[in-house]
Amino acid sequence: MASEPGSLQVPNEDYASVALPAAGRGGALVVLDGVTPPPEDTGCAHDVPWYVARLGGALLELSGSRRDMTLRECLASAIGRTASAHGPGCDLSHVRTPQATVVLARWDESVVEHLVLSDSALLVEGADGSVTPVLDTRLDGLRPAARALPPAGRAAYLESLRNAEGGFFTAAADPAVAGRAVVGSAPRERVRALAALSDGATRWTETFRLGDWTALMAVLRKEGPRSLIGRVRTAESADRAGTAFPRGKAHDDATAVLVEF
């Protein structure tokens, strides 16, 4: 695994962790991409790195130790735990309360389960070498309308649709959002590898078009997560102004986790 901030002057708002039980019969992974708020008031005393550390730690514990719970139940419980850790001065109903996208996977001898919420990604490589992306595309469907607006209004437009009917969903303070996540499973013998990626890492495919998902998985398998992020940084630096490849940030936090069975 590898995780790098988009800027050395700003804390990394991504989170990544993997649990491999000593018994050797399974494991779990968590990748979160914290939502960077505008500099104005967020209604909360806590920052995004605090939030993703709390949520990520709870998710890893629950998904790794509570096999009786579904991944949606693990996410709902983790969100509830994190919400209860806030203080009385934190307005958890604020649209900018700390929040994150989620990739969660869990496996044992018989099955591989997954959950994706918002625009991070999970790649599932089959035993035959095929690569299937697991994506929550609701935000992608809203971006064309945002781009049609004047630049000053785009962020506010998308913010108004976050965790709202007809919009897109992130993990914030409401456990019910777990019901909006994309979930699925596959027999263990049909899965050769998993790759969990924040959208800073998926830029290699989604923004810079340097290869499809199968090619991205090949880079991970051959060179490793840090090399993939290095390739993204090279592409970002070649277009710092975002002229050729428009994007919200010149450099974004980037995280990649590769699991090979």
Side-chain angles (χ1 to χ4, degrees), residues 116-123 132-138 140 182 202 206 213:
V116 174
L117 184 67
S118 200
D119 61 346
S120 292
L122 180 74
L123 306 183
T132 302
V134 180
L135 307 170
D136 178 353
T137 60
R138 281 169 287 206
D140 292 336
V182 176
T202 63
E206 294 185 311
W213 296 118

Side-chain angles (χ1 to χ4, degrees), residues 84-104:
S84 67
H86 283 276
C90 298
D91 178 7
L92 301 185
S93 66
H94 197 294
V95 69
R96 294 173 186 159
T97 192
Q99 54 201 277
T101 73
V102 181
V103 176
L104 178 62

